[in-house]
Amino acid sequence: MTVFRALTIAGSDSGGGAGIQADLKTFQELGVFGMSAITAVTVQNTRGVRGVYPMTPSAVGEQIDAVGEDLGVDALKTGMLFDAAIIRETAERIAAFGWSRVVVDPVMIAKGGAELLRADAIEAMKRHLLPLAYVVTPNIPEAEALSGMTIASMADRREAARRIAAYGAKIVVIKGGHAGEDSEAGLGAGGARRGEPGERAGAGGARREEPEAGAGAGRASRVVDLLYDGRDFEELSGPRIATRHTHGTGCTFSAAITAQLALGEDVRDAVRTARDFIQAAIEGAPALNLGGGHGPTDHWAYARLRAGSTR
Ligand SMILES: Nc1ncnc2c1ncn2[C@@H]1O[C@H](COP(=O)(O)OP(=O)(O)OP(=O)(O)O)[C@@H](O)[C@H]1O
Ligand SMILES: Cc1ncc(CO)c(N)n1
């Protein structure tokens, strides 16, 4: 029996919906053996982040070494890295082990506004980590920070993707979850629709909709993730699910890409599977209904959907 192994280098979310916890749940659901190197412990629930306790850079490096020297790594992702020293340590280890299936989720700010990456660490991310990235998965504010430009249209998003690719990341996926929050309203209106993974994932059951304060007005009815491979652009889209329970969507999405890369899937297929996984997880989130704030997504939903069962 061959067991495929995935490592997450990220922060702990005590609430279980994002960070290391989301990553390990996602790895498990996709049939991959999950391992972790913890960069920081956050004191967090669905209402927000109350505290951040970073590890020392060498503690992060030692965890990576322990896993790499013994168990082995087929693919890895990075999430919350907190500061420039942890970024440098992480990048050094990735380069030393020669790992190539590397997904960088450039986590910067939590949904409630808490800082998960120091502002002065963005340069280190561009300089040390992006050159090692096979896939980088910024949301729109993160893409703005990495590219140094404002994103107000799909054309802007393409330009930002080009600039981010110039730092060395082979595949750039700019996620559309935040589109329409300010100037990017209506972003999802045009463009080629290939794959349509959302439609397949959504076919199983009735969508559980719920009103969401502030989210309806001006937002496109579809989410569009833009993929750039250094040459061509591809728009991957699915229906926008109206829910406030989206805590950890970015972590879960990048973990699903990582799991599929660990299994040996081609990168475009990995991104499509990850879209199916996150869409099912968001669709299932309102029924989970955990916590009083932005609740976690349903990491069981994708497997349930594939097994053809409703809950
Ligand atoms: N309301 C939604 N309905 C459907 N898909 C969504 C929705 N919100 C986000 N997604 C999808 O979830 C994935 C993560 O995107 P998002 O832009 O939310 O990431 P993020 O902001 O990094 O998440 P996080 O809050 O965890 O940092 C993308 O594939 C995106 O298209
Ligand atoms: C630990 C951690 N990583 C990432 C995110 C972003 O969702 C979060 N809220 N917490």
Side-chain angles (χ1 to χ4, degrees), residues 77-133:
K77 67 157 277 187
T78 65
M80 171 187 180
L81 294 174
F82 188 65
D83 64 14
I86 294 179
I87 289 174
R88 279 196 300 271
E89 189 81 19
T90 299
E92 222 169 74
R93 295 308 205 282
I94 292 172
F97 280 104
W99 290 321
S100 60
R101 279 177 269 187
V102 174
V103 178
V104 173
D105 183 13
V107 171
M108 295 181 189
I109 310 270
K111 283 217 160 81
E115 192 181 66
L116 302 179
L117 182 74
R118 295 227 156 114
D120 64 5
I122 292 172
E123 272 315 305
M125 181 166 286
K126 292 193 290 199
R127 171 135 40 131
H128 301 293
L129 206 51
L130 291 190
L132 301 171

Side-chain angles (χ1 to χ4, degrees), residues 28 51 85 98 127 149 176 179 193 203 210 229 306:
Q28 183 78 11
R127 171 135 40 131
M149 61 178 276
R193 306 262 181 256
E210 64 175 59
D229 63 6
R306 282 173 51 102

Side-chain angles (χ1 to χ4, degrees), residues 126 129-134 136 163-172:
K126 292 193 290 199
L129 206 51
L130 291 190
L132 301 171
Y134 183 29
V136 60
R163 292 189 189 188
I164 295 167
Y167 289 107
K170 299 203 175 38
I171 306 280
V172 181

Side-chain angles (χ1 to χ4, degrees), residues 11-13 18-20 42 44 49 80 107 109-111 116 247-248 251:
S12 165
D13 167 15
I20 289 278
T42 69
Q44 189 173 179
V49 177
M80 171 187 180
V107 171
I109 310 270
K111 283 217 160 81
L116 302 179
H247 177 63
C251 305

